[in-house]
Amino acid sequence: MTAAATAPETFRRAVESLAALRTRPEIELRDMRPPQRLAPWSAAWSAEVVSPADPSGAEPDVLVTGRLVLLHDPDGQEAWDGTLRLVTFVRAELDPEHANDPLLPEVAWSWLTGALEESGADSTAVGGTVTQTSSVRFGDISGPSHVTDLELRASWTPVLGEDPAAVDLTEHGTAFTTVLATAAGLPPVGVASLAAHRPG
């Protein structure tokens, strides 16, 4: 997404750095319509994590979905403690073993805090929720009869310098994609999954 030429420089630089984010092959980011009433300026991207390429040529499965929203208020907002705010949403379907883990909310929250720290994304006012939802399918609906989803909703304020021309949110975008990959159970970059080499 390209910010309008009339947008504040801080916002334009922030959008450009996120739009240029390089991700691993399993993660797909696409522009989407941003929310209109949360801030004077906003941009948003949808995200999908697909299963690694299958040697058999089978269609990849969507493992995780998410959203990344960038908000900008030149006057700042008290709750933000800054003029930019990043808002994220990540949803992943859980296998039965992990769905029953009583520490899952704490573990899922650590995916975000760990990703922010690991990527070097200097941030403040970090907050959010982790929610588990269980669904039971009936009738003519494909898929397993019982499904448990994990939803991570979070927001934080990037800590910026005084120069609007130096705004760069690459580390923050990287943290978001790291959370997506962790939620999907993807191996670290450069490490092949054993499942990919399992004999047919």
Side-chain angles (χ1 to χ4, degrees), residues 37-123:
R37 300 182 180 181
L38 298 180
W41 300 93
S42 59
W45 296 263
S46 65
E48 285 187 349
V49 184
V50 297
S51 56
D54 190 325
S56 69
E59 286 294 319
D61 295 322
V62 176
L63 305 175
V64 172
T65 59
R67 290 191 301 273
L68 175 65
V69 178
L70 170 66
L71 305 174
H72 177 53
D73 188 335
D75 296 327
Q77 296 190 16
E78 185 176 354
W80 295 2
D81 191 24
T83 62
L84 290 175
R85 189 74 174 170
L86 286 165
V87 182
T88 60
F89 169 76
V90 175
R91 174 184 288 155
E93 185 175 316
L94 301 174
D95 59 51
E97 178 183 355
H98 292 102
N100 295 322
D101 185 349
L103 296 179
L104 181 62
E106 287 79 7
V107 171
W109 184 249
S110 73
W111 297 345
L112 174 67
T113 56
L116 289 170
E117 181 177 355
E118 179 184 333
S119 67
D122 196 5
S123 56

Coordinates of all heavy atoms in Angstrom, one line a residue, residues 37-123:
R37 N -12.0 4.9 11.3 CA -12.4 5.8 12.4 C -11.5 5.7 13.6 O -11.8 6.3 14.6 CB -13.8 5.5 12.8 CG -14.9 5.7 11.7 CD -16.3 5.5 12.2 NE -17.3 5.7 11.1 CZ -18.6 5.6 11.2 NH1 -19.1 5.2 12.4 NH2 -19.4 5.8 10.2
L38 N -10.4 4.9 13.5 CA -9.6 4.7 14.6 C -8.5 5.8 14.7 O -7.9 6.1 15.8 CB -8.9 3.3 14.6 CG -9.9 2.1 14.7 CD1 -9.1 0.8 14.7 CD2 -10.7 2.2 15.9
A39 N -8.2 6.4 13.6 CA -7.1 7.4 13.5 C -7.3 8.2 12.2 O -7.9 7.7 11.3 CB -5.7 6.7 13.6
P40 N -6.7 9.4 12.2 CA -6.8 10.2 10.9 C -6.1 9.5 9.7 O -6.6 9.6 8.6 CB -6.0 11.5 11.3 CG -6.1 11.6 12.8 CD -6.1 10.1 13.3
W41 N -5.1 8.7 9.9 CA -4.4 8.0 8.9 C -4.3 6.5 9.2 O -3.9 6.2 10.4 CB -3.0 8.6 8.6 CG -3.1 10.0 8.2 CD1 -3.0 11.1 9.1 CD2 -3.3 10.5 6.9 NE1 -3.1 12.3 8.4 CE2 -3.3 12.0 7.0 CE3 -3.5 10.0 5.7 CZ2 -3.5 12.8 5.9 CZ3 -3.6 10.8 4.6 CH2 -3.6 12.2 4.7
S42 N -4.5 5.6 8.3 CA -4.4 4.2 8.6 C -4.0 3.4 7.3 O -4.3 3.8 6.2 CB -5.7 3.6 9.2 OG -6.8 3.8 8.3
A43 N -3.4 2.3 7.5 CA -3.1 1.3 6.4 C -3.2 -0.1 7.0 O -3.1 -0.3 8.2 CB -1.7 1.6 5.9
A44 N -3.5 -1.1 6.1 CA -3.7 -2.4 6.7 C -3.3 -3.5 5.6 O -3.3 -3.2 4.4 CB -5.1 -2.6 7.1
W45 N -2.8 -4.6 6.2 CA -2.5 -5.8 5.3 C -3.1 -7.0 5.9 O -3.2 -7.2 7.2 CB -0.9 -5.9 5.3 CG -0.2 -4.8 4.7 CD1 0.3 -4.7 3.4 CD2 0.2 -3.6 5.3 NE1 0.9 -3.5 3.2 CE2 0.8 -2.8 4.4 CE3 0.0 -3.0 6.6 CZ2 1.3 -1.5 4.7 CZ3 0.5 -1.8 6.9 CH2 1.2 -1.0 5.9
S46 N -3.6 -7.9 5.1 CA -4.0 -9.2 5.5 C -2.8 -10.2 5.4 O -1.9 -10.0 4.6 CB -5.2 -9.7 4.7 OG -4.8 -9.9 3.3
A47 N -2.9 -11.3 6.1 CA -1.8 -12.3 6.1 C -2.3 -13.7 6.1 O -3.4 -14.0 6.7 CB -0.9 -12.1 7.3
E48 N -1.7 -14.5 5.4 CA -1.9 -16.0 5.4 C -0.6 -16.7 5.5 O 0.4 -16.3 4.8 CB -2.7 -16.4 4.1 CG -4.2 -16.1 4.1 CD -4.9 -16.7 3.0 OE1 -4.2 -17.3 2.0 OE2 -6.1 -16.7 2.9
V49 N -0.6 -17.8 6.3 CA 0.6 -18.7 6.3 C 0.1 -20.0 5.7 O -0.9 -20.6 6.2 CB 1.1 -18.9 7.7 CG1 2.3 -19.8 7.7 CG2 1.4 -17.6 8.4
V50 N 0.7 -20.4 4.6 CA 0.4 -21.6 4.0 C 1.4 -22.7 4.3 O 2.6 -22.4 4.6 CB 0.2 -21.4 2.4 CG1 -0.9 -20.5 2.1 CG2 1.5 -20.9 1.8
S51 N 1.0 -23.9 4.2 CA 1.9 -25.0 4.4 C 3.1 -25.0 3.4 O 2.9 -24.6 2.3 CB 1.2 -26.4 4.4 OG 0.5 -26.5 3.2
P52 N 4.3 -25.5 3.8 CA 5.4 -25.5 2.9 C 5.1 -26.3 1.6 O 4.2 -27.2 1.6 CB 6.5 -26.2 3.7 CG 6.1 -26.0 5.1 CD 4.6 -26.0 5.1
A53 N 5.8 -26.1 0.6 CA 5.5 -26.7 -0.7 C 5.6 -28.3 -0.6 O 6.5 -28.8 0.1 CB 6.6 -26.3 -1.7
D54 N 4.6 -28.9 -1.1 CA 4.6 -30.4 -1.1 C 5.2 -31.0 -2.3 O 4.7 -30.6 -3.4 CB 3.1 -30.8 -0.9 CG 3.0 -32.3 -0.6 OD1 3.8 -33.1 -1.1 OD2 2.0 -32.7 0.1
P55 N 6.2 -31.9 -2.2 CA 6.7 -32.5 -3.4 C 5.7 -33.2 -4.3 O 6.0 -33.3 -5.5 CB 7.7 -33.5 -2.8 CG 8.0 -33.0 -1.5 CD 6.8 -32.4 -1.0
S56 N 4.6 -33.6 -3.8 CA 3.6 -34.3 -4.6 C 2.8 -33.3 -5.4 O 2.0 -33.7 -6.3 CB 2.7 -35.1 -3.7 OG 1.8 -34.2 -2.9
G57 N 2.9 -32.0 -5.2 CA 2.2 -31.0 -5.9 C 0.8 -30.7 -5.3 O 0.0 -30.0 -6.0
A58 N 0.5 -31.2 -4.2 CA -0.8 -30.9 -3.5 C -0.9 -29.5 -3.2 O 0.1 -28.8 -2.9 CB -1.0 -31.8 -2.3
E59 N -2.2 -29.0 -3.2 CA -2.4 -27.6 -2.9 C -2.0 -27.3 -1.4 O -2.4 -28.1 -0.5 CB -3.9 -27.2 -3.1 CG -4.3 -27.1 -4.5 CD -3.6 -25.9 -5.2 OE1 -3.5 -24.8 -4.5 OE2 -3.2 -26.0 -6.3
P60 N -1.4 -26.2 -1.1 CA -1.0 -25.9 0.3 C -2.2 -25.6 1.1 O -3.2 -25.1 0.6 CB -0.1 -24.7 0.2 CG -0.5 -24.1 -1.1 CD -0.9 -25.2 -2.0
D61 N -2.2 -25.9 2.4 CA -3.2 -25.6 3.4 C -2.9 -24.2 4.0 O -1.8 -23.8 4.2 CB -3.3 -26.6 4.5 CG -3.7 -28.0 4.0 OD1 -4.5 -28.1 3.1 OD2 -3.1 -29.0 4.5
V62 N -4.0 -23.5 4.3 CA -3.8 -22.2 5.1 C -3.7 -22.6 6.5 O -4.7 -23.1 7.1 CB -5.0 -21.3 4.8 CG1 -4.9 -20.0 5.7 CG2 -5.1 -20.9 3.3
L63 N -2.6 -22.3 7.1 CA -2.4 -22.7 8.5 C -2.8 -21.6 9.5 O -3.3 -21.9 10.6 CB -0.9 -23.0 8.7 CG -0.3 -24.1 7.8 CD1 1.2 -24.2 8.0 CD2 -1.0 -25.4 8.0
V64 N -2.5 -20.4 9.1 CA -2.8 -19.2 10.0 C -3.2 -18.0 9.2 O -2.8 -17.9 8.1 CB -1.5 -18.9 10.8 CG1 -1.7 -17.6 11.6 CG2 -1.1 -20.0 11.7
T65 N -4.1 -17.3 9.7 CA -4.5 -16.0 9.1 C -4.3 -14.9 10.1 O -4.2 -15.1 11.3 CB -6.0 -16.0 8.7 OG1 -6.8 -16.2 9.9 CG2 -6.3 -17.1 7.7
G66 N -4.1 -13.7 9.5 CA -3.8 -12.5 10.4 C -4.1 -11.2 9.7 O -4.4 -11.1 8.5
R67 N -3.9 -10.1 10.5 CA -4.0 -8.8 10.0 C -3.0 -7.9 10.7 O -2.7 -8.1 11.9 CB -5.4 -8.2 10.2 CG -6.5 -8.8 9.4 CD -7.8 -7.9 9.5 NE -8.3 -7.8 10.9 CZ -9.1 -8.7 11.5 NH1 -9.5 -9.7 10.8 NH2 -9.5 -8.5 12.7
L68 N -2.5 -6.9 10.0 CA -1.6 -5.9 10.5 C -2.1 -4.6 10.2 O -2.3 -4.3 9.0 CB -0.2 -6.1 10.0 CG 0.8 -5.0 10.4 CD1 1.1 -5.1 11.9 CD2 2.2 -5.2 9.7
V69 N -2.4 -3.7 11.1 CA -3.0 -2.4 10.9 C -2.1 -1.4 11.5 O -1.6 -1.5 12.6 CB -4.4 -2.3 11.6 CG1 -4.9 -0.9 11.3 CG2 -5.4 -3.3 11.0
L70 N -1.8 -0.3 10.7 CA -1.0 0.8 11.1 C -1.9 2.0 11.2 O -2.6 2.4 10.3 CB 0.1 1.1 10.0 CG 0.9 2.4 10.2 CD1 1.8 2.3 11.5 CD2 1.8 2.6 9.0
L71 N -1.8 2.6 12.4 CA -2.6 3.8 12.7 C -1.6 5.0 13.0 O -0.6 4.8 13.6 CB -3.5 3.6 13.9 CG -4.4 2.4 13.9 CD1 -5.1 2.3 15.2 CD2 -5.4 2.5 12.8
H72 N -2.1 6.2 12.5 CA -1.2 7.4 12.8 C -2.1 8.6 13.1 O -3.1 8.9 12.4 CB -0.4 7.7 11.5 CG 0.4 9.0 11.7 ND1 1.2 9.2 12.8 CD2 0.5 10.1 10.9 CE1 1.8 10.4 12.6 NE2 1.4 11.0 11.6
D73 N -1.8 9.2 14.2 CA -2.5 10.4 14.7 C -1.4 11.4 15.0 O -0.6 11.3 15.9 CB -3.3 10.2 15.9 CG -4.2 11.4 16.3 OD1 -3.8 12.5 15.9 OD2 -5.2 11.2 17.0
P74 N -1.2 12.4 14.1 CA -0.1 13.4 14.3 C -0.2 14.1 15.6 O 0.9 14.5 16.1 CB -0.4 14.4 13.2 CG -1.1 13.6 12.1 CD -2.0 12.7 12.9
D75 N -1.3 14.1 16.3 CA -1.4 14.8 17.6 C -1.2 13.8 18.7 O -1.1 14.2 19.9 CB -2.8 15.4 17.8 CG -3.1 16.5 16.8 OD1 -2.1 17.2 16.4 OD2 -4.2 16.7 16.4
G76 N -1.1 12.5 18.3 CA -0.9 11.5 19.4 C -2.2 11.1 20.1 O -3.2 11.9 20.0
Q77 N -2.2 10.0 20.8 CA -3.3 9.6 21.6 C -2.8 9.1 22.9 O -1.8 8.4 23.0 CB -4.2 8.5 20.9 CG -4.8 9.0 19.6 CD -5.9 8.0 19.1 OE1 -6.3 7.1 19.8 NE2 -6.2 8.1 17.8
E78 N -3.4 9.5 24.0 CA -2.9 9.3 25.3 C -2.6 7.8 25.6 O -1.6 7.4 26.1 CB -3.9 9.8 26.4 CG -3.3 9.7 27.8 CD -4.3 10.3 28.8 OE1 -5.3 10.9 28.4 OE2 -4.0 10.1 30.0
A79 N -3.5 6.9 25.1 CA -3.4 5.5 25.4 C -2.2 4.9 24.6 O -1.7 3.9 24.9 CB -4.7 4.8 25.0
W80 N -1.9 5.6 23.5 CA -0.8 5.1 22.6 C 0.6 5.4 23.2 O 1.5 4.6 23.0 CB -0.9 5.7 21.2 CG -2.0 5.3 20.4 CD1 -3.1 4.6 20.8 CD2 -2.3 5.8 19.1 NE1 -4.0 4.5 19.8 CE2 -3.5 5.2 18.7 CE3 -1.6 6.5 18.2 CZ2 -4.1 5.4 17.4 CZ3 -2.1 6.7 16.9 CH2 -3.4 6.2 16.5
D81 N 0.7 6.6 23.8 CA 2.0 7.1 24.2 C 2.9 7.3 23.0 O 4.1 6.9 23.0 CB 2.7 6.1 25.2 CG 4.0 6.7 25.8 OD1 4.1 7.9 25.9 OD2 4.8 5.9 26.3
G82 N 2.3 7.8 21.9 CA 3.1 8.1 20.7 C 2.1 8.5 19.6 O 0.9 8.7 19.8
T83 N 2.6 8.6 18.4 CA 1.8 9.0 17.2 C 1.5 7.9 16.3 O 0.6 8.0 15.4 CB 2.5 10.2 16.4 OG1 3.7 9.7 15.9 CG2 2.7 11.4 17.3
L84 N 2.2 6.8 16.4 CA 1.9 5.6 15.6 C 1.5 4.4 16.5 O 1.9 4.3 17.6 CB 3.2 5.1 14.8 CG 3.7 6.0 13.6 CD1 5.0 5.5 13.1 CD2 2.6 6.1 12.5
R85 N 0.6 3.6 15.9 CA 0.1 2.4 16.7 C 0.0 1.3 15.7 O -0.6 1.4 14.6 CB -1.2 2.7 17.3 CG -1.7 1.6 18.3 CD -0.9 1.6 19.6 NE -1.5 0.7 20.6 CZ -0.9 0.4 21.7 NH1 0.3 0.9 22.0 NH2 -1.4 -0.4 22.6
L86 N 0.5 0.1 16.1 CA 0.4 -1.1 15.3 C -0.6 -2.0 16.0 O -0.5 -2.2 17.2 CB 1.7 -1.8 15.1 CG 2.7 -1.1 14.1 CD1 4.1 -1.7 14.3 CD2 2.2 -1.3 12.7
V87 N -1.6 -2.5 15.2 CA -2.6 -3.4 15.8 C -2.5 -4.7 15.0 O -2.5 -4.7 13.7 CB -4.0 -2.8 15.6 CG1 -5.1 -3.7 16.2 CG2 -4.0 -1.4 16.3
T88 N -2.5 -5.8 15.7 CA -2.4 -7.1 15.0 C -3.5 -8.1 15.5 O -4.0 -8.0 16.6 CB -1.0 -7.8 15.2 OG1 -0.8 -8.0 16.6 CG2 0.1 -6.9 14.7
F89 N -3.8 -9.0 14.6 CA -4.7 -10.1 14.9 C -4.1 -11.4 14.2 O -3.8 -11.3 13.0 CB -6.1 -9.8 14.3 CG -7.0 -11.0 14.3 CD1 -7.6 -11.4 15.5 CD2 -7.3 -11.7 13.2 CE1 -8.5 -12.5 15.5 CE2 -8.2 -12.8 13.2 CZ -8.8 -13.2 14.4
V90 N -4.1 -12.5 15.0 CA -3.6 -13.7 14.4 C -4.5 -14.8 14.9 O -4.9 -14.9 16.1 CB -2.1 -14.0 15.0 CG1 -1.7 -15.4 14.5 CG2 -1.1 -12.9 14.5
R91 N -4.9 -15.7 13.9 CA -5.8 -16.8 14.3 C -5.2 -18.1 13.7 O -4.8 -18.2 12.6 CB -7.2 -16.6 13.7 CG -8.1 -17.9 13.9 CD -9.4 -17.7 13.2 NE -10.3 -16.7 13.9 CZ -11.2 -16.0 13.3 NH1 -11.5 -16.2 12.0 NH2 -12.0 -15.2 14.0
A92 N -5.1 -19.1 14.6 CA -4.6 -20.4 14.2 C -5.5 -21.5 14.8 O -6.0 -21.4 15.9 CB -3.2 -20.5 14.8
E93 N -5.6 -22.6 14.0 CA -6.4 -23.7 14.5 C -5.4 -24.6 15.3 O -4.3 -24.9 14.8 CB -6.9 -24.5 13.3 CG -7.8 -25.7 13.7 CD -8.5 -26.4 12.5 OE1 -9.0 -25.6 11.6 OE2 -8.5 -27.6 12.5
L94 N -5.8 -25.1 16.4 CA -4.9 -25.8 17.3 C -5.2 -27.3 17.2 O -6.3 -27.8 16.9 CB -5.2 -25.4 18.8 CG -4.9 -24.0 19.1 CD1 -5.4 -23.7 20.6 CD2 -3.5 -23.6 18.9
D95 N -4.1 -28.1 17.3 CA -4.3 -29.5 17.4 C -4.8 -29.9 18.8 O -4.6 -29.1 19.8 CB -3.1 -30.3 17.0 CG -1.9 -30.0 17.9 OD1 -2.0 -30.0 19.2 OD2 -0.8 -29.6 17.4
P96 N -5.5 -31.0 19.0 CA -6.0 -31.3 20.3 C -5.0 -31.3 21.5 O -5.4 -30.9 22.6 CB -6.6 -32.8 20.1 CG -6.9 -32.8 18.7 CD -5.8 -32.0 18.0
E97 N -3.8 -31.7 21.2 CA -2.8 -31.8 22.3 C -2.5 -30.4 22.8 O -2.5 -30.2 24.0 CB -1.5 -32.4 21.7 CG -0.3 -32.4 22.7 CD 0.9 -32.9 22.1 OE1 0.9 -33.4 20.9 OE2 2.0 -32.9 22.8
H98 N -2.4 -29.4 22.0 CA -2.1 -28.0 22.4 C -3.3 -27.3 22.9 O -3.3 -26.4 23.8 CB -1.4 -27.2 21.3 CG -0.1 -27.7 20.9 ND1 0.2 -28.4 19.8 CD2 1.1 -27.5 21.5 CE1 1.5 -28.7 19.8 NE2 2.1 -28.2 20.8
A99 N -4.5 -27.7 22.4 CA -5.7 -27.0 22.8 C -6.0 -27.2 24.3 O -6.7 -26.4 24.9 CB -6.9 -27.6 22.0
N100 N -5.5 -28.3 24.9 CA -5.8 -28.6 26.3 C -4.7 -28.1 27.2 O -4.7 -28.4 28.4 CB -6.0 -30.1 26.5 CG -7.3 -30.6 25.8 OD1 -8.3 -29.9 25.7 ND2 -7.2 -31.8 25.2
D101 N -3.7 -27.4 26.7 CA -2.6 -26.9 27.5 C -3.1 -25.7 28.3 O -3.4 -24.6 27.8 CB -1.4 -26.5 26.6 CG -0.2 -26.1 27.4 OD1 -0.3 -25.9 28.6 OD2 0.9 -26.0 26.8
P102 N -3.1 -25.8 29.7 CA -3.6 -24.6 30.5 C -2.7 -23.4 30.4 O -3.1 -22.3 30.7 CB -3.6 -25.2 31.9 CG -2.6 -26.3 31.9 CD -2.7 -26.9 30.5
L103 N -1.5 -23.6 30.0 CA -0.5 -22.5 29.8 C -0.5 -21.8 28.4 O 0.3 -20.9 28.2 CB 0.9 -22.9 30.2 CG 1.1 -23.4 31.7 CD1 2.5 -23.8 31.9 CD2 0.7 -22.3 32.6
L104 N -1.4 -22.3 27.6 CA -1.4 -21.8 26.2 C -1.5 -20.3 26.1 O -0.8 -19.7 25.3 CB -2.5 -22.5 25.4 CG -2.6 -22.1 23.9 CD1 -1.3 -22.5 23.2 CD2 -3.8 -22.8 23.3
P105 N -2.4 -19.6 26.8 CA -2.5 -18.2 26.7 C -1.2 -17.5 27.0 O -0.7 -16.6 26.2 CB -3.6 -17.8 27.7 CG -4.4 -19.0 27.8 CD -3.5 -20.1 27.7
E106 N -0.5 -17.9 28.0 CA 0.8 -17.3 28.4 C 1.9 -17.6 27.3 O 2.7 -16.7 26.9 CB 1.3 -17.9 29.7 CG 0.6 -17.3 30.9 CD -0.8 -18.0 31.1 OE1 -1.1 -19.0 30.4 OE2 -1.5 -17.6 32.0
V107 N 1.8 -18.8 26.8 CA 2.8 -19.2 25.7 C 2.5 -18.4 24.5 O 3.5 -17.8 23.8 CB 2.7 -20.7 25.4 CG1 3.5 -21.0 24.1 CG2 3.1 -21.5 26.6
A108 N 1.3 -18.2 24.1 CA 0.9 -17.5 22.9 C 1.3 -16.0 23.0 O 1.8 -15.4 22.1 CB -0.6 -17.6 22.6
W109 N 1.1 -15.4 24.2 CA 1.5 -14.0 24.4 C 3.0 -13.9 24.3 O 3.5 -12.9 23.8 CB 1.0 -13.6 25.8 CG 1.3 -12.1 26.0 CD1 2.2 -11.5 26.9 CD2 0.7 -11.0 25.3 NE1 2.2 -10.2 26.8 CE2 1.3 -9.8 25.8 CE3 -0.2 -10.9 24.2 CZ2 0.9 -8.6 25.3 CZ3 -0.6 -9.7 23.8 CH2 0.0 -8.5 24.3
S110 N 3.8 -14.9 24.8 CA 5.2 -14.9 24.7 C 5.7 -14.9 23.2 O 6.8 -14.5 23.0 CB 5.8 -16.0 25.5 OG 5.7 -17.3 24.8
W111 N 4.9 -15.4 22.3 CA 5.3 -15.4 20.9 C 5.5 -14.0 20.5 O 6.4 -13.6 19.8 CB 4.2 -16.0 20.0 CG 3.9 -17.5 20.3 CD1 4.7 -18.4 21.0 CD2 2.8 -18.2 19.8 NE1 4.1 -19.6 21.0 CE2 3.0 -19.6 20.3 CE3 1.7 -17.9 19.1 CZ2 2.0 -20.6 20.0 CZ3 0.7 -18.9 18.8 CH2 0.9 -20.2 19.3
L112 N 4.5 -13.1 20.9 CA 4.6 -11.7 20.5 C 5.8 -11.0 21.2 O 6.6 -10.3 20.6 CB 3.3 -11.0 20.8 CG 3.3 -9.4 20.6 CD1 3.5 -9.1 19.1 CD2 2.1 -8.8 21.2
T113 N 5.8 -11.1 22.6 CA 6.9 -10.3 23.3 C 8.2 -10.8 22.9 O 9.2 -10.0 22.8 CB 6.7 -10.5 24.8 OG1 6.6 -11.9 25.2 CG2 5.3 -9.8 25.2
G114 N 8.4 -12.1 22.7 CA 9.7 -12.7 22.2 C 10.0 -12.2 20.8 O 11.2 -11.9 20.6
A115 N 9.0 -12.1 19.9 CA 9.3 -11.7 18.6 C 9.7 -10.2 18.5 O 10.6 -9.8 17.8 CB 8.1 -11.9 17.7
L116 N 9.1 -9.4 19.3 CA 9.4 -7.9 19.4 C 10.9 -7.8 19.9 O 11.6 -7.0 19.4 CB 8.5 -7.2 20.3 CG 7.0 -7.0 19.8 CD1 6.2 -6.4 20.9 CD2 7.0 -6.0 18.6
E117 N 11.2 -8.5 20.9 CA 12.6 -8.5 21.5 C 13.6 -9.0 20.5 O 14.6 -8.4 20.2 CB 12.6 -9.2 22.8 CG 14.0 -9.2 23.5 CD 14.0 -9.9 24.8 OE1 12.9 -10.3 25.2 OE2 15.1 -10.0 25.4
E118 N 13.3 -10.2 19.9 CA 14.2 -10.8 19.0 C 14.5 -9.9 17.7 O 15.6 -9.9 17.2 CB 13.7 -12.2 18.5 CG 14.5 -12.9 17.6 CD 13.9 -14.2 17.1 OE1 13.1 -14.8 17.9 OE2 14.2 -14.7 16.0
S119 N 13.5 -9.3 17.2 CA 13.6 -8.5 16.0 C 14.2 -7.1 16.3 O 14.6 -6.4 15.4 CB 12.3 -8.3 15.3 OG 11.4 -7.5 16.1
G120 N 14.3 -6.7 17.6 CA 14.9 -5.4 17.9 C 13.9 -4.3 17.7 O 14.2 -3.1 17.6
A121 N 12.6 -4.6 17.8 CA 11.5 -3.6 17.6 C 11.3 -2.9 18.9 O 10.6 -3.4 19.8 CB 10.2 -4.3 17.1
D122 N 11.8 -1.7 19.0 CA 11.7 -0.9 20.2 C 10.2 -0.4 20.3 O 9.7 0.3 19.4 CB 12.6 0.3 20.1 CG 12.8 1.0 21.5 OD1 12.3 0.4 22.5 OD2 13.5 2.0 21.6
S123 N 9.6 -0.8 21.4 CA 8.1 -0.5 21.5 C 7.7 -0.2 22.9 O 8.4 -0.5 23.9 CB 7.3 -1.7 21.0 OG 7.7 -2.9 21.7

